[in-house]
Amino acid sequence: MKRILTVLLAVMLLPVISTAAADDALVPVTFCLDWTPNTNHTGVYAAQALGYYREAGLDVKIVQPPEDGATLMCAAGQAQFSVTAQDSMAAALDRDDPLCVTAVAAVLQHNTSGIISRKGDGITSPKGMEGKVYSTWESPVELAMLRWCMEKDGADFDKVRLIPNNITDEPGALQAHQTDSIWVFYGWGAIGAGLRNIECDYWDFASLGKELDYYTPVILGNNDFLQNSPETARAFLEATAKGYRYAAEHPQEAADMLIAGDNTRSLEDSRELVYASQEWISAQYIADAADWGVFDPERWDAFYGWLFENNLTAHDLRGIGYSNDYLPKD
């Protein structure tokens, strides 16, 4: 009898032991977001929820960015991958000792950001910002882009009144006349205004010149990790690409996975916005590219060439900082 019980106990424990052994075999990967979870990140949450990472032999942990930023965390090797944007990344590369990171995938294929304003205030183009208030992060690249756009439109940037951007609710700030204009991503700020029936105007940077149609956001990889573990990096990006392809084809289901996977619970009260944003942004993940994640070298260089020619970087960053080598080949 004792022998039978021992055998039964062993059989019952076998799945538990097998699962633990399988978990031990997974390769740990830390992925650091650039902000609280939003629809830019949906493909990663979909890959997690659908088991794509586990199928690839990976145990992926999604973490929030530290106070000093996701790029520094990735460069320090505390995360193998993180999220940033090509414009922000310039500061990491424009150094005598560049940070050890490389952009390995484009989350969106085009720059979907622009300036939102109250409808009727006349800010339907850069020229309309003359004499108006703009809420700024005081970033040299941000301000140079605005100056360039306004001068191209025959306007004087020095006639814009700049105030600090401490706004978290862009449509609400416009409605309350806290400011006249704010830089937003269309897929969140502009769509959010529409859902709340706050009438706004919007113009976008990418339509004003190919130089400003840069990649935002992008996924960064730590250079040492990429060099020492290229197959793990490729496995991560192949699973991530599957997640973004799924999100492109199944916006509603992917939005539910994003909300369910958000351990900050910041999206629980924004379900309507997440659904609407996801419906719009799903078409932007691949857009006109051959597949998700692919960088066009000419477009990458167009922005960094523009930064250099406008004395916004000390080094010519064209041809560096990105790679298509770790993306799926099929």
Side-chain angles (χ1 to χ4, degrees), residues 3-80:
R3 178 180 176 80
I4 293 173
L5 288 174
T6 302
V7 171
L8 286 174
L9 183 61
V11 171
M12 291 170 64
L13 288 175
L14 188 58
V16 177
I17 295 170
S18 298
T19 301
D23 287 345
D24 288 344
L26 298 177
V27 177
V29 170
T30 299
F31 181 84
C32 183
L33 304 179
D34 57 337
W35 199 251
T36 53
N38 59 65
T39 49
N40 283 337
H41 311 134
T42 305
V44 176
Y45 282 89
Q48 186 81 292
L50 293 166
Y52 294 157
Y53 290 130
R54 190 177 180 85
E55 289 172 6
L58 306 176
D59 178 14
V60 174
K61 183 179 181 183
I62 304 170
V63 301
Q64 296 295 307
E67 192 169 326
D68 54 356
T71 299
L72 284 177
M73 185 173 177
C74 185
Q78 296 167 333
Q80 286 72 43

Side-chain angles (χ1 to χ4, degrees), residues 49-246:
L50 293 166
Y52 294 157
Y53 290 130
R54 190 177 180 85
E55 289 172 6
L58 306 176
D59 178 14
V60 174
K61 183 179 181 183
I62 304 170
V63 301
Q64 296 295 307
E67 192 169 326
D68 54 356
T71 299
L72 284 177
M73 185 173 177
C74 185
Q78 296 167 333
Q80 286 72 43
F81 297 97
S82 67
V83 182
T84 188
Q86 189 183 352
D87 53 344
S88 303
M89 188 181 172
L93 300 175
D94 188 35
R95 304 160 44 125
D96 292 335
D97 57 341
L99 296 184
C100 295
V101 291
T102 298
V104 291
V107 174
L108 303 181
Q109 274 299 315
H110 294 280
N111 181 358
T112 60
S113 67
I115 302 298
I116 192 171
S117 60
R118 279 180 304 278
K119 194 168 188 64
D121 281 6
I123 311 180
T124 56
S125 71
K127 187 175 179 58
M129 293 180 70
E130 273 192 347
K132 300 293 196 309
V133 175
Y134 170 71
S135 295
T136 175
W137 300 292
E138 300 180 354
S139 153
V141 172
E142 168 205 14
L143 297 177
M145 284 176 62
L146 281 172
R147 180 181 292 278
W148 186 83
C149 290
M150 289 187 68
E151 290 177 352
K152 189 175 182 181
D153 203 22
D156 184 353
F157 175 74
D158 292 331
K159 293 182 179 178
V160 178
R161 182 185 164 209
L162 303 176
I163 63 172
N165 186 342
N166 51 14
I167 294 168
T168 57
D169 174 8
E170 294 92 352
L174 291 171
Q175 190 176 44
H177 289 257
Q178 293 175 15
T179 185
D180 296 330
S181 54
I182 319 168
W183 189 325
V184 298
F185 282 93
Y186 183 89
W188 198 259
I191 286 181
L195 289 174
R196 293 163 62 179
N197 296 317
I198 299 174
E199 291 190 298
C200 293
D201 285 319
Y202 174 86
W203 60 264
D204 69 282
F205 290 100
S207 65
L208 295 175
K210 64 179 183 180
E211 300 91 338
L212 304 187
D213 188 16
Y214 55 86
Y215 290 96
T216 177
V218 300
I219 293 177
L220 291 183
N222 172 278
N223 286 353
D224 288 340
F225 169 76
L226 295 174
Q227 182 175 354
N228 296 328
S229 305
E231 294 311 314
T232 302
R234 291 190 179 97
F236 172 81
L237 286 173
E238 183 168 0
T240 303
K242 287 172 67 178
Y244 277 100
R245 290 186 203 118
Y246 178 88

